[in-house]
Amino acid sequence: MNATTTCPTCGRRHRLRRAMPPAPLPLFAWAARHPRPPAMGARLLLHADMLDAEGEPRACIAIPGQRVPLAYPNLAAALSALRAMEAAHATR
């Protein structure tokens, strides 16, 4: 459909202007529509550059958002700390 109108002053035919596109969403409305993927949980690592007294790699827990992993004296201590963190996170 070719929408035209006649000018009341000069009598010429003019095309109608296109409708304006909708305004962009504000930042927070866009973010609410696009949720973040779930954050990856803490991971258990063995750091070869952090050796214990016997020369074995030290067990560490890497927590998202922290630059330095938490070091533990042995693997059992790291596993129990990781379980405690996961249990505390699950109760929220």
Side-chain angles (χ1 to χ4, degrees):
M1 180 177 163
N2 207 357
T4 58
T5 184
T6 305
C7 178
T9 307
C10 66
R12 287 197 275 169
R13 294 174 60 181
H14 300 283
R15 287 182 180 244
L16 294 177
R17 292 185 180 185
R18 291 184 187 169
M20 293 292 295
L25 292 174
L27 176 64
F28 296 113
W30 181 89
R33 285 187 178 182
H34 299 85
R36 289 177 43 194
M40 189 168 56
R43 296 179 296 155
L44 184 65
L45 304 173
L46 292 175
H47 268 277
D49 57 340
M50 301 170 82
L51 303 177
D52 61 3
E54 289 87 32
E56 297 293 320
R58 190 173 295 263
C60 300
I61 296 178
I63 300 173
Q66 291 188 357
R67 291 184 179 193
V68 180
L70 298 173
Y72 290 91
N74 55 30
L75 187 60
L79 283 173
S80 66
L82 183 61
R83 286 188 195 116
M85 286 180 202
E86 289 173 348
H89 183 67
T91 59
R92 285 186 189 181

